[in-house]
Amino acid sequence: MADLNVPPRRPRDDRGWDGYQHPHPDGYRDPHAAPYAGAHPAPAPGPQWVGPDGFAPAAGGYPPQGGFPPQGGYAQPAGGYGPPPGPGLPTLDDDNDEPPNRGRRRALATLGGAAVVAGGAAFAFSPQVRGLFTGDAPAGDATGTVTTDGNAARPSGQQPSTVRTYTEQNESYMGSRAGEALKRNAPSGGRLYGSPAAAAEATKVTVKTVLAKDAIRHLATRTTFGATPKVLADIKRLGIDDWLRQQLEPEKIAPTKAELKLAELQSLKLSPTQLRDQREQLNEKGVDPARETVDATIARQIWSDRQLFEVMVDFWNDFLHVAADFDGGENYRNAFDSDVIRKHALGSYPDMLVAANKHPALLLYLNQVDSRKDAVNENLARENLELYSVGVDGGYTEKDVRQAALLQTGRGVADGKYKFFAERHYLGKVSILGFSHPNNSDDPVAADKVIDSYIRYIALHPSTARYVAQNLATRFVSDTPPKSVVDRLAKAYTTNKGQIRPVLATLFSSSEFWAAVGQKVRRPMEYLVATYRTLGVSPDAAPGFSGDQRRTPFAQGLRQIQDKMRELGQYPMGKPTPDGYADVYLAWTSAGTMIDGWNEAGDLIAGWRKQFTFVKPEKLVAKPPATAGAYVDALAQRLVHQKLSAKEKKLVLAVAGVAESAKVDATFNGAIAAVARTILASPQHHLR
């Protein structure tokens, strides 16, 4: 899962993403400083290209190669993660070699790491993972990155650390031996039906998987951050079509208690200007606006009933990615979340991209505020093409990038808001990927509209349609989605002029979606959120917990979840570079992260995070059966929404040290927490 994904370092490869300029003495970006005063040497006449080493010669082509700004270490708070003193489940990474603990480790590891070749997602139980539990020396890596096809010019022939874009990351991982195994198990094709329910009923699941071939469970797992008894009951009550129709109209779904409690996060309701003006007061209260934006996103993922909307918000946060932790994020990232991503998540992608390109967050993040006609910064122009629209293989050239960078000069930020500076804007004919315009008006409004027209043009380009379709299919269908469904989604995108709801309707009415049971693995963040959801954790504090003097228990608890996600290597808006997190399993294969996730599940089962209220493990099943085997069946149905296989059940019983026919009480004779944690380590909980 995540130790390998911190994140792949991209070489400069002809880009000009040159990091933060004009740092303020106290570490914050000062967008109100005199423009460019003292920041660069006096430019030579004519357009100059600004790179990490300053100005490049006007005729010297592209900036010299370099690297992205350092990722930066996120300081982890001292303490706060582990359980309080006292008896409890041993952590899986301790050094206790007593036989009972080794037996528990081995059973848990065998179940959790069992090759989910059957799950279509190859939890290849590598020698490295085996060594953690058996003491055997590693003998290689079953998920190694030896390429099996392609060449250095193609993503499948590149190492993950050398690729440039979100899609290329996914494709590079799939070029490994384990990736080839996944491809062989993926559904090969399909067709479009009149409705999602019709597609679900007509589609036969033929892939190998440990998951139940249950359409309702499959829908709930793919379109939410984790199925719950309530979600499953709602789908059964409403039917597949009506439940999806409801989810596609999130504005009609009432906010949950947790969403109402977001009012406790003080910075969410403040505008960028207010955040800037109240910065000292917020600092005194310990409020970090960028981190509160992440906290709020986590809360919605866990507790919102608008689950498909939240899944799409997460999708766009990777696709049109602006990191929360950037110099300026404290003032502008929350507004970008509300005014760009959330406003358009189920609406029009062209509208989203236009809005993003006029938002201070993106303009600061990719240094567009530093681009003017005599000193052109091409970061945003390049990422608009490479990451946010047509994709790296979408047909654009270096000339297109430079023409776009010239066209986009003049966009900046003043007094916390977007402003077009006509005096900085390049005038002259441009031609970019088929878009052509004289660009000769000195009227600020007209010149700004030309840029909007270009952004809308690339957002509706055929290559963008396919790029969006490929990424949606990777998110919802499989790590290796069939070409048939990608083609179908791209056609729907083009026909509907970039409207997302019709594309999703096409996706859910496609047999490829329903045939792909077990073909996706939860990334670390998704595993943690799904664990909170399936355990029925409440946003209210446990009795007697008062929190600290500056933050409410709810706010404090959300921050602890965020800190744990940072430990696991993935959190909302977390990747520092503009390419977003990879969305294929092989990008996240890490024994350390898997074990850390299992230990966190143990903490939650035991109710150690007192900022929230937990269901006691012996209360998870309303009427616990009297025998161990039947109890495991009931608990599995409650936590992973299906029974385990006979072999898996035997492994779970081994953790408790009882026979299937043994009599047990509601506490599983004292082992209920260990049994529940083992079920949450199973492939059935790791797969989505």
Side-chain angles (χ1 to χ4, degrees):
M1 293 189 242
D3 288 356
L4 297 181
N5 201 54
V6 279
R9 295 300 299 272
R10 301 190 294 171
R12 178 71 59 173
D13 60 61
D14 296 74
R15 69 180 52 242
W17 202 85
D18 39 2
Y20 311 128
Q21 301 174 27
H22 311 314
H24 197 265
D26 61 3
Y28 281 77
R29 184 71 170 275
D30 182 9
H32 311 293
Y36 317 108
H40 307 297
Q48 297 266 317
W49 302 93
V50 184
D53 300 316
F55 283 94
Y62 213 71
Q65 289 194 350
F68 269 82
Q71 177 184 347
Y74 300 123
Q76 303 293 347
Y81 296 137
L89 291 172
T91 58
L92 291 171
D93 50 359
D94 62 28
D95 294 322
N96 183 0
D97 287 329
E98 291 300 314
N101 195 45
R102 289 189 61 182
R104 174 173 291 171
R105 281 191 189 187
R106 188 172 292 110
L108 184 58
T110 303
L111 179 62
V116 184
V117 170
F123 268 157
F125 192 24
S126 70
Q128 283 82 349
V129 180
R130 282 198 298 272
L132 289 169
F133 299 94
T134 66
D136 300 335
D141 187 355
T143 62
T145 55
V146 176
T147 57
T148 56
D149 65 355
N151 54 62
R154 295 181 54 210
S156 61
Q158 299 176 39
Q159 293 295 320
S161 61
T162 68
V163 297
R164 294 174 291 179
T165 71
Y166 180 41
T167 300
E168 278 190 315
Q169 285 187 76
N170 294 343
E171 292 180 1
S172 67
Y173 287 112
M174 301 317 294
S176 68
R177 288 194 301 270
E180 289 300 308
L182 301 189
K183 293 175 185 178
R184 289 193 295 271
N185 193 42
S188 58
R191 54 162 290 191
L192 181 68
Y193 286 85
S195 70
E201 184 177 1
T203 301
K204 183 178 181 181
V205 179
T206 60
V207 295
K208 296 178 180 179
T209 179
V210 299
L211 293 189
K213 296 178 180 180
D214 176 352
I216 289 178
R217 187 192 186 283
H218 176 63
L219 179 65
T221 304
R222 287 292 171 86
T223 58
T224 75
F225 277 96
T228 65
K230 179 183 182 300
V231 169
L232 295 168
D234 285 347
I235 299 174
K236 290 177 182 177
R237 174 175 55 84
L238 295 170
I240 288 172
D241 289 347
D242 284 346
W243 185 82
L244 278 171
R245 190 176 295 113
Q246 184 184 76
Q247 287 292 307
L248 288 169
E249 297 179 324
E251 65 279 1
K252 297 181 180 179
I253 299 175
T256 60
K257 178 190 291 187
E259 289 174 294
L260 295 175
K261 286 174 71 67
L262 290 177
E264 298 175 18
L265 303 182
Q266 300 176 45
S267 67
L268 292 189
K269 61 181 180 293
L270 301 179
S271 69
T273 302
Q274 290 172 319
L275 288 172
R276 182 196 65 198
D277 294 344
Q278 298 179 31
R279 181 180 152 200
E280 290 187 8
Q281 299 95 305
L282 292 172
N283 280 340
E284 290 175 0
K285 297 177 182 178
V287 174
D288 182 332
R291 295 198 75 182
E292 286 203 338
T293 301
V294 177
D295 292 338
T297 301
I298 293 169
R300 293 173 176 127
Q301 289 177 353
I302 296 174
W303 287 294
S304 176
D305 287 338
R306 303 159 180 161
Q307 280 289 296
L308 179 55
F309 175 74
E310 292 302 326
V311 168
M312 288 303 299
V313 166
D314 183 60
F315 171 82
W316 292 120
N317 270 326
D318 277 333
F319 189 95
L320 183 51
H321 180 61
V322 173
D325 296 320
F326 82 95
D327 194 8
E330 68 283 351
N331 287 338
Y332 298 107
R333 190 54 182 84
N334 185 61
F336 188 83
D337 185 61
S338 60
D339 299 341
V340 177
I341 300 296
R342 292 181 175 276
K343 182 176 180 179
H344 300 289
L346 290 174
S348 162
Y349 181 61
D351 287 351
M352 181 189 292
L353 191 58
V354 168
N357 271 267
K358 300 176 87 165
H359 197 282
L362 187 62
L363 297 175
L364 287 163
Y365 180 55
L366 291 180
N367 308 107
Q368 186 63 30
V369 294
D370 300 320
S371 188
R372 60 193 192 275
K373 60 187 178 184
D374 58 350
V376 182
N377 184 301
E378 65 180 39
N379 292 345
L380 181 55
R382 178 173 295 277
E383 305 302 14
N384 272 333
L385 290 165
E386 183 173 309
L387 296 178
Y388 307 150
S389 65
V390 300
V392 70
D393 297 320
Y396 68 88
T397 66
E398 286 302 308
K399 181 180 178 181
D400 291 322
V401 173
R402 293 191 174 196
Q403 292 275 292
L406 286 168
L407 175 63
Q408 291 177 227
T409 53
R411 294 197 153 183
V413 178
D415 195 27
K417 298 178 182 179
Y418 169 73
K419 181 177 180 180
F420 183 79
F421 296 89
E423 68 277 9
R424 303 179 192 173
H425 178 62
Y426 167 82
L427 293 177
K429 183 178 179 180
V430 293
S431 180
I432 311 156
L433 202 63
F435 175 87
S436 181
H437 198 280
N439 184 41
N440 57 6
S441 175
D442 57 5
D443 175 24
V445 175
D448 199 26
K449 285 184 177 179
V450 174
I451 305 175
D452 284 349
S453 297
Y454 159 69
I455 298 298
R456 198 169 294 278
Y457 171 84
I458 60 172
L460 291 172
H461 193 278
S463 294
T464 303
R466 184 162 191 85
Y467 186 57
V468 172
Q470 179 72 38
N471 283 284
L472 280 171
T474 299
R475 173 76 190 206
F476 285 99
V477 179
S478 76
D479 290 1
T480 57
K483 181 178 181 297
S484 56
V485 74
V486 174
D487 291 345
R488 198 176 303 124
L489 297 181
K491 182 179 179 180
Y493 181 96
T494 299
T495 300
N496 292 282
K497 301 185 184 306
Q499 291 289 330
I500 299 305
R501 281 185 178 89
V503 178
L504 291 177
T506 300
L507 170 67
F508 299 133
S509 298
S510 296
S511 62
E512 293 92 339
F513 171 79
W514 300 98
V517 174
Q519 300 299 296
K520 292 296 295 183
V521 179
R522 286 175 172 142
R523 296 176 292 179
M525 177 184 78
E526 296 161 3
Y527 176 86
L528 190 60
V529 170
T531 302
Y532 272 84
R533 285 177 58 78
T534 201
L535 288 173
V537 179
S538 165
D540 295 320
F545 185 85
S546 59
D548 58 33
Q549 297 299 313
R550 300 198 297 178
R551 289 182 294 170
T552 65
F554 181 62
Q556 185 179 340
L558 291 175
R559 184 60 48 83
Q560 284 202 6
I561 300 175
Q562 181 184 157
D563 289 337
K564 174 55 66 175
M565 287 180 176
R566 286 173 180 254
E567 280 189 351
L568 295 175
Q570 186 196 17
Y571 59 96
M573 300 159 268
K575 195 171 182 184
T577 51
D579 46 349
Y581 290 116
D583 196 10
V584 294
Y585 164 68
L586 294 177
W588 300 95
T589 49
S590 162
T593 299
M594 185 181 290
I595 293 167
D596 205 6
W598 295 346
N599 285 332
E600 178 68 6
D603 288 356
L604 300 184
I605 291 165
W608 282 329
R609 298 203 184 283
K610 300 298 184 182
Q611 298 91 344
F612 307 120
T613 301
F614 298 82
V615 178
K616 293 183 178 180
E618 60 269 25
K619 299 290 186 181
L620 287 168
V621 175
K623 296 180 180 180
T627 60
Y631 199 163
V632 169
D633 287 340
L635 190 58
Q637 191 69 48
R638 169 64 182 78
L639 294 178
V640 297
H641 322 296
Q642 67 175 81
K643 291 183 179 180
L644 305 179
S645 69
K647 181 179 180 180
E648 290 165 337
K649 183 161 70 171
K650 183 177 180 181
L651 288 167
V652 174
L653 291 169
V655 170
V658 299
E660 183 172 356
S661 59
K663 296 289 185 180
V664 293
D665 60 15
T667 71
F668 219 99
N669 296 348
I672 185 60
V675 169
R677 180 174 68 170
T678 305
I679 293 173
L680 292 178
S682 70
Q684 286 83 347
H685 189 56
H686 278 282
L687 293 167
R688 63 164 156 92

